[in-house]
Amino acid sequence: MRRVAGCNESVLTLVSAVGADLGATVLPWSAARAILDVRNLEVRRIVEPVIQVKLSLCTSDHQPLSEPAHAVHDLFHELITNFG
């Protein structure tokens, strides 16, 4: 069984540690894909257990949403409705 010895949120530091064979990490696909071309690392998709994350959309109480912000808001709302 592996033991967590520390916590770090810097992608570069995590990738360097994994590249030095000091451990493993869980990254979003967008971050993992970005390092695939420059590092000889193995990337695997986690299927089980299902990973759940909280998603927050912060908006101003004092400013109206711009058109692009409305688009993001509507997309999040649709995703939450369909998958929530």
Side-chain angles (χ1 to χ4, degrees):
M1 175 182 278
R2 303 252 182 215
R3 182 174 70 89
V4 175
C7 181
N8 187 318
E9 294 187 15
S10 165
V11 173
L12 290 176
T13 302
L14 292 170
V15 170
S16 295
V18 171
D21 204 22
L22 295 175
T25 187
V26 176
L27 296 172
W29 173 242
S30 58
R33 184 180 56 218
I35 63 165
L36 282 177
D37 294 336
V38 294
R39 299 287 183 134
N40 188 23
L41 300 176
E42 187 173 335
V43 176
R44 296 183 182 174
R45 182 173 181 238
I46 297 174
V47 178
E48 286 187 23
V50 174
I51 297 175
Q52 296 181 359
V53 296
K54 292 184 179 185
L55 179 63
S56 299
L57 177 62
C58 300
T59 60
S60 172
D61 286 338
H62 309 290
Q63 303 252 349
L65 292 176
S66 66
E67 187 175 335
H70 267 292
V72 170
H73 175 273
D74 293 346
L75 176 63
F76 279 3
H77 188 269
E78 180 182 332
L79 290 171
I80 291 167
T81 302
N82 292 339
F83 299 109

